[in-house]
Amino acid sequence: MSQLQIFPVEAHGYPLPTLASNDPALIAAELAQRGIGFEHWPARVELAPEATTEQILAAYAPEIARVQASGTYPTVDAIRLTPDHPDREALRQKFLAEHTHSEDEVRFFVEGRGLFCLHIGEEVLQVLCEAEDWIRVPAGTRHWFDMGSEPCFTAIRFFDNPEGWVAQFTGDPIAERFPLLDGALPGRGH
């Protein structure tokens, strides 16, 4: 189930959220107030475990067309990470560092889950995205992403830059102070 938790930036120790909700309407409203798009769409196709990127994109062609109809996101791909992915730990560590993009980050989760952490002003918003969640993080938003120690998700990614996902890392260690996907603080276990 999708979840939103909002923490103050200055949280210390094991931070407690000032807001926690699983209500999709409340999640969408809170995120919209901060310029983040969030919608709940049906993930109507069960993908085969060996589905290729092309098969994933073909299975969700209507949803891709819906997003691309505006002309804003001409490039699309799919990412599927599983617990046996050989680069899972390196990819996890890369995504855990706070970064920005010069383009919107748009994802439609069709399987599994991942944790978007958004550093907006004096807040950190943690958005647990699961299958059927569509999220749009505007360009320039400071954020990080946790796929967990045993990643298991498939997401369709939309880009306005034909080069795809390019991150500019901030160097801020803020991500080290907030819970990971499994609820543990980085480097501290449960």
Side-chain angles (χ1 to χ4, degrees):
M1 176 175 285
S2 309
Q3 182 181 51
L4 171 65
Q5 294 189 93
I6 301 177
F7 300 91
V9 164
E10 296 305 320
H12 298 285
Y14 195 93
L16 296 175
T18 57
L19 179 123
S21 179
N22 296 78
D23 178 351
L26 180 62
I27 293 170
E30 288 290 332
L31 292 175
Q33 288 177 18
R34 294 159 178 89
I36 309 299
F38 182 85
E39 297 178 23
H40 199 69
W41 296 358
R44 53 181 184 68
V45 179
E46 188 166 331
L47 299 167
E50 67 282 352
T52 65
T53 297
E54 293 76 19
Q55 290 169 325
I56 295 166
L57 297 176
Y60 285 94
E63 290 80 5
I64 292 168
R66 177 179 172 186
V67 173
Q68 290 185 320
S70 70
T72 306
Y73 306 109
T75 304
V76 63
D77 73 3
I79 183 169
R80 182 180 240 180
L81 285 173
T82 58
D84 62 348
H85 191 286
D87 297 324
R88 71 184 179 281
E89 190 55 38
L91 288 169
R92 182 184 192 200
Q93 290 307 312
K94 178 181 178 180
F95 293 139
L96 279 175
E98 185 186 69
H99 59 278
T100 64
H101 301 287
S102 59
E103 61 185 75
D104 296 348
E105 185 163 355
V106 182
R107 305 290 181 262
F108 174 39
F109 285 80
V110 297
E111 292 179 321
R113 65 188 195 148
L115 183 68
F116 271 97
C117 303
L118 313 170
H119 177 187
I120 301 173
E122 296 301 313
E123 298 176 316
V124 169
L125 294 85
Q126 290 195 327
V127 185
L128 177 61
C129 292
E130 297 195 322
E132 302 191 341
D133 289 339
W134 179 91
I135 188 167
R136 182 189 51 78
V137 179
T141 302
R142 294 168 63 136
H143 68 283
W144 59 95
F145 178 78
D146 186 17
M147 63 182 84
S149 59
E150 294 190 19
C152 187
F153 73 91
T154 303
I156 297 172
R157 307 185 302 177
F158 298 88
F159 305 99
D160 61 10
N161 174 352
E163 298 301 314
W165 186 79
V166 179
Q168 293 88 38
F169 294 93
T170 67
D172 187 334
I174 187 170
E176 297 171 7
R177 299 195 328 254
F178 292 90
L180 297 171
L181 181 60
D182 62 9
L185 284 175
R188 298 187 195 166
H190 293 291

